[in-house]
Amino acid sequence: EVNQARDTLEVVRSAEMTALIRSWHKSCRNGEVIPLKENLDLLEIFRAHLAPHIWLVSKAPGEEFTYRLTGDDIRQRFGKKLTGFSIVDLYGEELAGEIRFRWDSLFDDRLIRYSHGAVYQDVDKAYMGERVTLPLWCKGTRIVLGCTLIDHLQSKDGYPEYEANTLIHCAILIADVDVRLAQQAANL
């Protein structure tokens, strides 16, 4: 299930994800729609207590998306360190193709992706929560900054098979955040 959103911040459920999206937004300089990695304020992300839930993948031209950083919560969910592994190594070619399409579309279509629902699945249980994937550039390399927050576990009986996805155009998000920040400043 994929939805388009006009009022982007209303679809985001947690304050932590809103803080991450705002930090990403502040990284956009000089009219950029996708910010440069070096402009991202990592200290702000750490202050929001998101470090255990963050993951970073990169894809240089002609290469595969490969994990460069995974927080402690992500490593614990997978039961191993993901750093250095490509998506093909971890998920096989078929699932990697779906993931590659999703992540490439962040750059090709200038999108962010926000999801809630079953964000991870095991044989007998689902990890329910929310996820955001944000595009960054670094010297021609595509970088996906992701954050996955788990609310609770649920047995496989009675949970939605897919997570609900909202695709948000970066330019709409930037305009929406700018308007909301101006409104907050006016109300102070």
Side-chain angles (χ1 to χ4, degrees), residues 53-71:
H53 314 287
I54 293 291
W55 46 273
L56 204 73
V57 296
S58 68
K59 178 184 176 188
E63 295 183 8
E64 186 57 82
F65 279 108
T66 301
Y67 282 87
R68 301 298 177 202
L69 173 83
T70 52

Side-chain angles (χ1 to χ4, degrees), residues 1-5 11 13 98 102 112-118 121 128 131 159-168:
E1 174 186 349
V2 177
N3 304 307
Q4 296 283 59
V11 300
R13 295 181 175 200
E98 293 174 29
R102 283 184 182 187
I112 71 166
R113 180 181 291 267
Y114 172 78
S115 310
H116 63 88
Q121 298 179 34
M128 307 301 285
R131 174 182 295 132
Y159 76 87
E161 191 165 323
Y162 299 102
E163 55 193 327
N165 290 285
T166 302
L167 302 176
I168 304 164

Side-chain angles (χ1 to χ4, degrees), residues 37 40 42 54-58 66-71 83 103 134 136 143-147:
K37 179 183 163 216
L40 189 67
L42 295 177
I54 293 291
W55 46 273
L56 204 73
V57 296
S58 68
T66 301
Y67 282 87
R68 301 298 177 202
L69 173 83
T70 52
T83 304
W103 290 348
L134 304 163
L136 298 165
I143 297 179
V144 177
L145 169 64
C147 183

Side-chain angles (χ1 to χ4, degrees), residues 44-132:
E44 192 170 332
I45 293 170
F46 284 102
R47 276 186 242 121
H49 306 288
L50 290 172
H53 314 287
I54 293 291
W55 46 273
L56 204 73
V57 296
S58 68
K59 178 184 176 188
E63 295 183 8
E64 186 57 82
F65 279 108
T66 301
Y67 282 87
R68 301 298 177 202
L69 173 83
T70 52
D72 291 340
D73 189 60
I74 305 301
R75 284 192 299 271
Q76 183 180 14
R77 299 268 175 242
F78 279 85
K80 65 180 177 180
K81 186 176 176 180
L82 304 180
T83 304
F85 287 97
S86 76
I87 57 174
V88 174
D89 295 336
L90 292 169
Y91 308 114
E93 185 55 51
E94 185 176 344
L95 184 53
E98 293 174 29
I99 294 168
R100 187 182 312 110
F101 175 79
R102 283 184 182 187
W103 290 348
D104 277 335
S105 71
L106 299 175
F107 298 90
D108 298 340
D109 300 326
R110 307 291 195 254
L111 301 171
I112 71 166
R113 180 181 291 267
Y114 172 78
S115 310
H116 63 88
V119 292
Y120 293 124
Q121 298 179 34
D122 284 341
V123 173
D124 60 343
K125 61 186 174 290
Y127 294 90
M128 307 301 285
E130 58 186 324
R131 174 182 295 132
V132 67

Side-chain angles (χ1 to χ4, degrees), residues 1-21:
E1 174 186 349
V2 177
N3 304 307
Q4 296 283 59
R6 296 197 73 213
D7 194 349
T8 59
L9 293 181
E10 286 188 9
V11 300
V12 179
R13 295 181 175 200
S14 72
E16 295 90 348
M17 288 297 194
T18 301
L20 178 61
I21 292 168

